[in-house]
Amino acid sequence: MRHVIIGNSAAGLSGAEAIRMADPAAEIIMIAGENLPAYSRVMTSYYLAGAIAREKVFIRDPDFYRRLRIDTLFGHQALAVRPGASQVLLDDDTVVNYDNLLVATGSVPVRPDLPGLNLDGVHFHWTLADADGIMAAAATARRAIVIGAGLIGMQTAVALRRRGLDVTVVEAQPRVIPAQLDAGAAGLMQAALEQNGVQLRLGVEVKAIAGTDRVSGVRLEDDLIEAGLVVVAVGVKPNLSVVRESGLAIEDGILVDRRLRSSVPNIYAAGDVACAYDPVRGAPAVNAMWPNAVQQGRVAGRNMAGLAEEYPGGINLNTVEFFGLTAVSMGVVNPSGPEYQEIVRSEPERGLYRKLVLRDGRLAGMIFAGEIEKAGILSGLLVQGKEAGHLVETLLSDDLSYPKLLMNGLEGAIRPVMVG
């Protein structure tokens, strides 16, 4: 049996490992555009900040693929999937046949329609090569501008600030990290960032990146901010290019069932590219998180190898830490609609913010900022969908504990996710 995997990150790796464990004789071929062993995109920010050496970014050594008998086609882009012929077409016209295919292509940065985007000195931050380029540019730049205050943008801004650059972040939304935090938690983060020298221009749109051959800054509606380095970080999206013309069912990502199968039975998807079951929403969603990608890849790999296993579902969970202040969010954090109820505990003088989002008396989302040690206790309530409306005071209290939940008959909800 020949199993082909497109992608060499969390989902692809765990898929390959699961296949090999379940089927020692299987043929495994892995395709990846970067000619590198697997590395952690999350760790590139720490590398950029100078906190770790470059080699610490890698999560597998080059010999890993030989040990697992994985044939690698690295440095080659997969251009198209042909489900009718069970083939993958590569950028050098190579055709790779498969019995089963796992699409684990992850995400790609959003490229905004901005004049000046291709100027020298304008970078994205997604790959290790991107981080190398930003680091080289930061060595000679004094000022940097980051366009976008999402997770990647803020991680980049903090890393450049730690390298001693003057950093300005420009964000069209009125707060930092708008997709993962609400106004209350974002306000605490904003204060910590500004206290540590990160300048924020919120609720402002970039009209163009200025410069002739090389970047000189960014142009706003009524202002020009000068800088020798610009990083564009306005978001990422599932990398669906290889399956766009394949006929697979696609929503936000490749739509998969509980066994991670796409609408074509011998094609599976896992990781950021997969639209998979979310128990909080009760429907498929793209939850681009490393732990979800690992679990999805493992389930997909086991099913590709002939086992029968269902994905239990994954939730959206994000942890952010800047200059000693940490925030964690899970599930629905910025709800819209009358069916949702938001309960907030805010103590800004203490640097503490907590919010619960309820839907029909059940926990649908939460944010903890400042003191997040007990946030993981709530993950089980989210995943299990237990009735929690009567426990709001307990869930927001400083003495929240497993025994308190057990005393309220929530034994089945104790399935914590590690945060922090």
Short mmCIF file of all heavy atoms in Angstrom, two decimals, residues 134-197:
data_model
loop_
_atom_site.label_atom_id
_atom_site.label_comp_id
_atom_site.label_asym_id
_atom_site.label_seq_id
_atom_site.Cartn_x
_atom_site.Cartn_y
_atom_site.Cartn_z
N ILE A 134 14.12 38.25 7.87
CA ILE A 134 13.81 39.34 8.79
C ILE A 134 15.00 39.60 9.72
O ILE A 134 15.36 40.76 9.99
CB ILE A 134 12.55 39.01 9.62
CG1 ILE A 134 11.32 38.92 8.70
CG2 ILE A 134 12.30 40.08 10.69
CD1 ILE A 134 10.09 38.36 9.39
N MET A 135 15.63 38.53 10.19
CA MET A 135 16.77 38.69 11.09
C MET A 135 17.90 39.42 10.40
O MET A 135 18.54 40.31 10.98
CB MET A 135 17.23 37.33 11.59
CG MET A 135 18.36 37.41 12.60
SD MET A 135 18.81 35.80 13.27
CE MET A 135 17.36 35.41 14.22
N ALA A 136 18.16 39.06 9.14
CA ALA A 136 19.23 39.74 8.39
C ALA A 136 18.90 41.21 8.20
O ALA A 136 19.77 42.09 8.35
CB ALA A 136 19.43 39.05 7.04
N ALA A 137 17.64 41.52 7.90
CA ALA A 137 17.24 42.91 7.72
C ALA A 137 17.29 43.69 9.03
O ALA A 137 17.66 44.87 9.06
CB ALA A 137 15.83 42.97 7.12
N ALA A 138 16.94 43.03 10.12
CA ALA A 138 16.92 43.70 11.43
C ALA A 138 18.32 44.08 11.88
O ALA A 138 18.49 45.00 12.70
CB ALA A 138 16.27 42.79 12.47
N ALA A 139 19.33 43.41 11.36
CA ALA A 139 20.71 43.70 11.77
C ALA A 139 21.15 45.09 11.33
O ALA A 139 22.05 45.68 11.94
CB ALA A 139 21.65 42.65 11.20
N THR A 140 20.52 45.64 10.28
CA THR A 140 20.92 46.96 9.78
C THR A 140 19.82 48.00 9.89
O THR A 140 20.05 49.17 9.58
CB THR A 140 21.37 46.85 8.31
OG1 THR A 140 20.30 46.31 7.52
CG2 THR A 140 22.59 45.96 8.18
N ALA A 141 18.64 47.59 10.32
CA ALA A 141 17.51 48.53 10.44
C ALA A 141 17.44 49.11 11.84
O ALA A 141 17.83 48.46 12.82
CB ALA A 141 16.20 47.84 10.09
N ARG A 142 16.94 50.31 11.94
CA ARG A 142 16.71 50.94 13.24
C ARG A 142 15.24 50.91 13.62
O ARG A 142 14.90 50.76 14.79
CB ARG A 142 17.21 52.38 13.23
CG ARG A 142 17.14 53.07 14.59
CD ARG A 142 17.68 54.49 14.51
NE ARG A 142 16.88 55.34 13.64
CZ ARG A 142 15.77 55.98 14.04
NH1 ARG A 142 15.34 55.86 15.29
NH2 ARG A 142 15.10 56.74 13.20
N ARG A 143 14.37 51.06 12.61
CA ARG A 143 12.94 51.09 12.85
C ARG A 143 12.26 50.00 12.03
O ARG A 143 12.64 49.74 10.88
CB ARG A 143 12.34 52.45 12.47
CG ARG A 143 12.74 53.58 13.40
CD ARG A 143 12.04 54.88 12.98
NE ARG A 143 10.59 54.72 12.89
CZ ARG A 143 9.76 54.76 13.93
NH1 ARG A 143 10.25 54.94 15.15
NH2 ARG A 143 8.47 54.61 13.78
N ALA A 144 11.24 49.38 12.60
CA ALA A 144 10.47 48.37 11.91
C ALA A 144 8.99 48.65 12.06
O ALA A 144 8.54 49.17 13.10
CB ALA A 144 10.79 46.98 12.44
N ILE A 145 8.22 48.30 11.04
CA ILE A 145 6.77 48.41 11.08
C ILE A 145 6.20 47.03 10.82
O ILE A 145 6.61 46.34 9.89
CB ILE A 145 6.24 49.40 10.02
CG1 ILE A 145 6.74 50.81 10.32
CG2 ILE A 145 4.72 49.38 9.97
CD1 ILE A 145 6.46 51.80 9.21
N VAL A 146 5.25 46.62 11.65
CA VAL A 146 4.53 45.37 11.44
C VAL A 146 3.10 45.74 11.07
O VAL A 146 2.42 46.46 11.81
CB VAL A 146 4.55 44.48 12.69
CG1 VAL A 146 3.73 43.22 12.46
CG2 VAL A 146 5.98 44.13 13.07
N ILE A 147 2.64 45.25 9.93
CA ILE A 147 1.27 45.49 9.49
C ILE A 147 0.44 44.30 9.93
O ILE A 147 0.59 43.19 9.42
CB ILE A 147 1.20 45.67 7.97
CG1 ILE A 147 2.10 46.81 7.51
CG2 ILE A 147 -0.25 45.92 7.53
CD1 ILE A 147 2.17 46.96 6.00
N GLY A 148 -0.42 44.52 10.91
CA GLY A 148 -1.25 43.45 11.45
C GLY A 148 -0.92 43.15 12.89
O GLY A 148 0.24 42.92 13.24
N ALA A 149 -1.94 43.16 13.76
CA ALA A 149 -1.74 42.93 15.19
C ALA A 149 -2.35 41.61 15.64
O ALA A 149 -2.77 41.47 16.78
CB ALA A 149 -2.34 44.09 16.00
N GLY A 150 -2.42 40.63 14.72
CA GLY A 150 -2.82 39.29 15.11
C GLY A 150 -1.70 38.58 15.83
O GLY A 150 -0.66 39.17 16.17
N LEU A 151 -1.86 37.28 16.04
CA LEU A 151 -0.86 36.52 16.79
C LEU A 151 0.53 36.60 16.16
O LEU A 151 1.52 36.89 16.83
CB LEU A 151 -1.30 35.06 16.90
CG LEU A 151 -2.37 34.74 17.94
CD1 LEU A 151 -2.79 33.29 17.82
CD2 LEU A 151 -1.86 35.02 19.35
N ILE A 152 0.60 36.35 14.86
CA ILE A 152 1.90 36.35 14.20
C ILE A 152 2.50 37.74 14.18
O ILE A 152 3.70 37.93 14.43
CB ILE A 152 1.77 35.78 12.78
CG1 ILE A 152 1.32 34.32 12.83
CG2 ILE A 152 3.11 35.88 12.02
CD1 ILE A 152 0.96 33.74 11.49
N GLY A 153 1.68 38.74 13.89
CA GLY A 153 2.17 40.11 13.86
C GLY A 153 2.72 40.55 15.19
O GLY A 153 3.82 41.14 15.27
N MET A 154 2.02 40.24 16.27
CA MET A 154 2.48 40.67 17.58
C MET A 154 3.71 39.88 18.03
O MET A 154 4.61 40.42 18.67
CB MET A 154 1.36 40.55 18.61
CG MET A 154 0.18 41.49 18.37
SD MET A 154 0.64 43.21 17.99
CE MET A 154 1.74 43.59 19.33
N GLN A 155 3.75 38.58 17.71
CA GLN A 155 4.95 37.81 18.04
C GLN A 155 6.17 38.38 17.31
O GLN A 155 7.27 38.46 17.88
CB GLN A 155 4.73 36.35 17.66
CG GLN A 155 3.76 35.62 18.58
CD GLN A 155 3.30 34.29 18.03
OE1 GLN A 155 3.53 33.98 16.85
NE2 GLN A 155 2.65 33.50 18.85
N THR A 156 5.97 38.78 16.06
CA THR A 156 7.06 39.37 15.30
C THR A 156 7.48 40.70 15.89
O THR A 156 8.68 41.00 16.03
CB THR A 156 6.64 39.56 13.83
OG1 THR A 156 6.19 38.31 13.30
CG2 THR A 156 7.80 40.08 12.99
N ALA A 157 6.50 41.52 16.25
CA ALA A 157 6.80 42.84 16.82
C ALA A 157 7.57 42.71 18.12
O ALA A 157 8.55 43.44 18.36
CB ALA A 157 5.49 43.61 17.04
N VAL A 158 7.16 41.80 18.98
CA VAL A 158 7.84 41.60 20.26
C VAL A 158 9.27 41.10 20.02
O VAL A 158 10.22 41.54 20.67
CB VAL A 158 7.05 40.63 21.15
CG1 VAL A 158 7.87 40.22 22.37
CG2 VAL A 158 5.73 41.28 21.59
N ALA A 159 9.42 40.17 19.07
CA ALA A 159 10.77 39.66 18.77
C ALA A 159 11.69 40.77 18.28
O ALA A 159 12.84 40.87 18.71
CB ALA A 159 10.67 38.55 17.71
N LEU A 160 11.19 41.64 17.40
CA LEU A 160 12.01 42.74 16.90
C LEU A 160 12.30 43.76 17.99
O LEU A 160 13.40 44.34 18.04
CB LEU A 160 11.30 43.41 15.71
CG LEU A 160 11.21 42.55 14.45
CD1 LEU A 160 10.36 43.24 13.40
CD2 LEU A 160 12.60 42.24 13.89
N ARG A 161 11.33 43.98 18.87
CA ARG A 161 11.57 44.89 19.99
C ARG A 161 12.66 44.34 20.90
O ARG A 161 13.52 45.08 21.39
CB ARG A 161 10.26 45.09 20.78
CG ARG A 161 10.39 46.08 21.93
CD ARG A 161 10.73 47.46 21.44
NE ARG A 161 11.04 48.37 22.54
CZ ARG A 161 11.94 49.32 22.49
NH1 ARG A 161 12.65 49.51 21.38
NH2 ARG A 161 12.16 50.11 23.52
N ARG A 162 12.65 43.03 21.13
CA ARG A 162 13.68 42.42 21.97
C ARG A 162 15.05 42.51 21.30
O ARG A 162 16.07 42.44 21.99
CB ARG A 162 13.31 40.96 22.25
CG ARG A 162 12.10 40.81 23.18
CD ARG A 162 11.96 39.40 23.69
NE ARG A 162 10.76 39.20 24.48
CZ ARG A 162 10.61 39.56 25.75
NH1 ARG A 162 11.61 40.17 26.37
NH2 ARG A 162 9.48 39.33 26.39
N ARG A 163 15.09 42.68 20.00
CA ARG A 163 16.34 42.88 19.29
C ARG A 163 16.78 44.35 19.31
O ARG A 163 17.80 44.69 18.72
CB ARG A 163 16.23 42.39 17.85
CG ARG A 163 16.28 40.89 17.75
CD ARG A 163 16.59 40.41 16.33
NE ARG A 163 16.99 39.01 16.40
CZ ARG A 163 18.22 38.56 16.57
NH1 ARG A 163 19.21 39.43 16.68
NH2 ARG A 163 18.49 37.29 16.63
N GLY A 164 15.98 45.20 19.94
CA GLY A 164 16.38 46.59 20.12
C GLY A 164 15.86 47.54 19.07
O GLY A 164 16.23 48.73 19.09
N LEU A 165 14.99 47.10 18.17
CA LEU A 165 14.46 48.00 17.15
C LEU A 165 13.31 48.82 17.70
O LEU A 165 12.59 48.38 18.63
CB LEU A 165 13.97 47.22 15.92
CG LEU A 165 15.04 46.82 14.88
CD1 LEU A 165 15.96 45.74 15.42
CD2 LEU A 165 14.37 46.36 13.59
N ASP A 166 13.12 50.02 17.15
CA ASP A 166 11.89 50.76 17.39
C ASP A 166 10.81 50.12 16.53
O ASP A 166 10.96 50.00 15.30
CB ASP A 166 12.06 52.23 16.99
CG ASP A 166 13.02 52.97 17.90
OD1 ASP A 166 13.16 52.56 19.06
OD2 ASP A 166 13.65 53.94 17.43
N VAL A 167 9.71 49.70 17.16
CA VAL A 167 8.70 48.91 16.45
C VAL A 167 7.34 49.60 16.55
O VAL A 167 6.90 49.97 17.65
CB VAL A 167 8.59 47.49 17.03
CG1 VAL A 167 7.54 46.68 16.26
CG2 VAL A 167 9.94 46.78 16.97
N THR A 168 6.69 49.76 15.40
CA THR A 168 5.32 50.26 15.34
C THR A 168 4.44 49.20 14.69
O THR A 168 4.80 48.66 13.63
CB THR A 168 5.22 51.56 14.53
OG1 THR A 168 6.04 52.56 15.14
CG2 THR A 168 3.78 52.05 14.47
N VAL A 169 3.32 48.90 15.31
CA VAL A 169 2.35 47.95 14.76
C VAL A 169 1.13 48.74 14.28
O VAL A 169 0.58 49.55 15.03
CB VAL A 169 1.92 46.90 15.80
CG1 VAL A 169 0.90 45.94 15.20
CG2 VAL A 169 3.13 46.14 16.32
N VAL A 170 0.73 48.50 13.03
CA VAL A 170 -0.44 49.16 12.46
C VAL A 170 -1.52 48.10 12.25
O VAL A 170 -1.27 47.08 11.60
CB VAL A 170 -0.11 49.85 11.13
CG1 VAL A 170 -1.34 50.58 10.59
CG2 VAL A 170 1.06 50.81 11.29
N GLU A 171 -2.70 48.34 12.81
CA GLU A 171 -3.79 47.37 12.76
C GLU A 171 -5.10 48.06 12.41
O GLU A 171 -5.44 49.09 13.01
CB GLU A 171 -3.92 46.65 14.10
CG GLU A 171 -5.17 45.84 14.34
CD GLU A 171 -5.36 44.72 13.33
OE1 GLU A 171 -4.40 43.95 13.10
OE2 GLU A 171 -6.47 44.63 12.78
N ALA A 172 -5.83 47.50 11.46
CA ALA A 172 -7.10 48.11 11.04
C ALA A 172 -8.18 47.96 12.11
O ALA A 172 -9.09 48.81 12.20
CB ALA A 172 -7.57 47.48 9.73
N GLN A 173 -8.13 46.91 12.92
CA GLN A 173 -9.11 46.72 13.98
C GLN A 173 -8.74 47.60 15.18
O GLN A 173 -7.60 48.02 15.33
CB GLN A 173 -9.15 45.25 14.40
CG GLN A 173 -9.58 44.30 13.30
CD GLN A 173 -10.99 44.55 12.83
OE1 GLN A 173 -11.90 44.74 13.65
NE2 GLN A 173 -11.19 44.59 11.52
N PRO A 174 -9.69 47.85 16.07
CA PRO A 174 -9.42 48.76 17.19
C PRO A 174 -8.67 48.13 18.36
O PRO A 174 -8.48 48.77 19.39
CB PRO A 174 -10.82 49.19 17.63
CG PRO A 174 -11.71 48.05 17.26
CD PRO A 174 -11.13 47.49 15.99
N ARG A 175 -8.23 46.87 18.25
CA ARG A 175 -7.52 46.23 19.35
C ARG A 175 -6.51 45.23 18.81
O ARG A 175 -6.57 44.83 17.64
CB ARG A 175 -8.51 45.52 20.29
CG ARG A 175 -9.28 44.37 19.66
CD ARG A 175 -10.19 43.72 20.69
NE ARG A 175 -10.87 42.54 20.18
CZ ARG A 175 -12.05 42.55 19.60
NH1 ARG A 175 -12.69 43.70 19.43
NH2 ARG A 175 -12.61 41.43 19.17
N VAL A 176 -5.60 44.83 19.68
CA VAL A 176 -4.61 43.82 19.30
C VAL A 176 -5.24 42.44 19.39
O VAL A 176 -6.19 42.21 20.14
CB VAL A 176 -3.35 43.90 20.19
CG1 VAL A 176 -2.68 45.26 20.05
CG2 VAL A 176 -3.68 43.62 21.66
N ILE A 177 -4.70 41.51 18.63
CA ILE A 177 -5.12 40.11 18.61
C ILE A 177 -6.64 40.01 18.56
O ILE A 177 -7.27 39.37 19.40
CB ILE A 177 -4.54 39.34 19.81
CG1 ILE A 177 -3.12 39.79 20.10
CG2 ILE A 177 -4.56 37.83 19.56
CD1 ILE A 177 -2.48 39.20 21.31
N PRO A 178 -7.27 40.62 17.57
CA PRO A 178 -8.72 40.75 17.56
C PRO A 178 -9.48 39.43 17.41
O PRO A 178 -10.62 39.33 17.88
CB PRO A 178 -8.99 41.68 16.37
CG PRO A 178 -7.79 41.56 15.50
CD PRO A 178 -6.64 41.32 16.43
N ALA A 179 -8.89 38.43 16.75
CA ALA A 179 -9.61 37.18 16.54
C ALA A 179 -9.65 36.31 17.79
O ALA A 179 -10.58 35.53 17.98
CB ALA A 179 -8.99 36.39 15.39
N GLN A 180 -8.65 36.44 18.66
CA GLN A 180 -8.55 35.56 19.83
C GLN A 180 -8.92 36.23 21.14
O GLN A 180 -9.18 35.53 22.12
CB GLN A 180 -7.11 35.01 19.95
CG GLN A 180 -6.74 33.99 18.91
CD GLN A 180 -6.36 34.59 17.57
OE1 GLN A 180 -5.95 35.75 17.51
NE2 GLN A 180 -6.50 33.83 16.50
N LEU A 181 -8.92 37.56 21.20
CA LEU A 181 -9.24 38.26 22.44
C LEU A 181 -10.38 39.24 22.22
O LEU A 181 -10.66 39.65 21.09
CB LEU A 181 -8.01 39.03 22.94
CG LEU A 181 -6.74 38.23 23.24
CD1 LEU A 181 -5.64 39.15 23.74
CD2 LEU A 181 -7.01 37.11 24.24
N ASP A 182 -11.03 39.61 23.29
CA ASP A 182 -12.04 40.67 23.23
C ASP A 182 -11.40 41.97 23.70
O ASP A 182 -10.20 42.04 24.00
CB ASP A 182 -13.27 40.31 24.05
CG ASP A 182 -12.99 40.24 25.55
OD1 ASP A 182 -11.82 40.39 25.96
OD2 ASP A 182 -13.95 40.04 26.32
N ALA A 183 -12.20 43.02 23.78
CA ALA A 183 -11.65 44.34 24.11
C ALA A 183 -11.03 44.38 25.50
O ALA A 183 -9.99 45.02 25.71
CB ALA A 183 -12.76 45.40 24.00
N GLY A 184 -11.64 43.69 26.46
CA GLY A 184 -11.11 43.72 27.82
C GLY A 184 -9.75 43.08 27.94
O GLY A 184 -8.81 43.67 28.51
N ALA A 185 -9.59 41.87 27.43
CA ALA A 185 -8.30 41.18 27.50
C ALA A 185 -7.27 41.89 26.63
O ALA A 185 -6.10 42.01 27.01
CB ALA A 185 -8.46 39.73 27.07
N ALA A 186 -7.70 42.36 25.46
CA ALA A 186 -6.78 43.05 24.56
C ALA A 186 -6.26 44.33 25.20
O ALA A 186 -5.11 44.73 24.96
CB ALA A 186 -7.47 43.36 23.24
N GLY A 187 -7.10 44.98 26.01
CA GLY A 187 -6.66 46.20 26.69
C GLY A 187 -5.49 45.95 27.63
O GLY A 187 -4.55 46.75 27.70
N LEU A 188 -5.53 44.83 28.36
CA LEU A 188 -4.41 44.47 29.23
C LEU A 188 -3.15 44.21 28.40
O LEU A 188 -2.05 44.65 28.76
CB LEU A 188 -4.75 43.23 30.05
CG LEU A 188 -5.80 43.37 31.16
CD1 LEU A 188 -5.97 42.05 31.88
CD2 LEU A 188 -5.39 44.47 32.15
N MET A 189 -3.32 43.49 27.30
CA MET A 189 -2.18 43.20 26.43
C MET A 189 -1.60 44.49 25.85
O MET A 189 -0.38 44.66 25.77
CB MET A 189 -2.60 42.25 25.31
CG MET A 189 -2.68 40.81 25.72
SD MET A 189 -1.02 40.15 26.05
CE MET A 189 -1.46 38.60 26.83
N GLN A 190 -2.48 45.37 25.43
CA GLN A 190 -2.03 46.63 24.84
C GLN A 190 -1.17 47.41 25.85
O GLN A 190 -0.12 47.96 25.49
CB GLN A 190 -3.22 47.47 24.40
CG GLN A 190 -2.82 48.81 23.80
CD GLN A 190 -4.02 49.60 23.29
OE1 GLN A 190 -5.09 49.04 23.05
NE2 GLN A 190 -3.85 50.90 23.12
N ALA A 191 -1.61 47.46 27.09
CA ALA A 191 -0.86 48.19 28.10
C ALA A 191 0.52 47.59 28.30
O ALA A 191 1.53 48.30 28.39
CB ALA A 191 -1.63 48.18 29.42
N ALA A 192 0.60 46.25 28.35
CA ALA A 192 1.90 45.59 28.53
C ALA A 192 2.82 45.86 27.34
O ALA A 192 4.02 46.10 27.52
CB ALA A 192 1.69 44.09 28.70
N LEU A 193 2.28 45.84 26.14
CA LEU A 193 3.08 46.08 24.94
C LEU A 193 3.62 47.51 24.93
O LEU A 193 4.80 47.76 24.67
CB LEU A 193 2.24 45.81 23.69
CG LEU A 193 1.89 44.34 23.44
CD1 LEU A 193 0.71 44.22 22.51
CD2 LEU A 193 3.09 43.59 22.88
N GLU A 194 2.73 48.46 25.21
CA GLU A 194 3.14 49.86 25.17
C GLU A 194 4.15 50.18 26.27
O GLU A 194 5.07 50.97 26.07
CB GLU A 194 1.91 50.76 25.25
CG GLU A 194 1.06 50.69 23.99
CD GLU A 194 -0.21 51.51 24.07
OE1 GLU A 194 -0.70 51.73 25.21
OE2 GLU A 194 -0.72 51.92 23.02
N GLN A 195 3.97 49.57 27.43
CA GLN A 195 4.91 49.80 28.53
C GLN A 195 6.31 49.30 28.19
O GLN A 195 7.31 49.76 28.76
CB GLN A 195 4.40 49.12 29.80
CG GLN A 195 3.22 49.82 30.44
CD GLN A 195 2.54 48.96 31.50
OE1 GLN A 195 3.06 47.90 31.87
NE2 GLN A 195 1.39 49.40 31.97
N ASN A 196 6.38 48.38 27.24
CA ASN A 196 7.67 47.82 26.84
C ASN A 196 8.13 48.35 25.49
O ASN A 196 9.00 47.74 24.85
CB ASN A 196 7.60 46.29 26.83
CG ASN A 196 7.60 45.72 28.23
OD1 ASN A 196 8.66 45.52 28.83
ND2 ASN A 196 6.41 45.46 28.76
N GLY A 197 7.58 49.47 25.09
CA GLY A 197 8.12 50.19 23.95
C GLY A 197 7.57 49.84 22.59
O GLY A 197 8.06 50.35 21.57
#
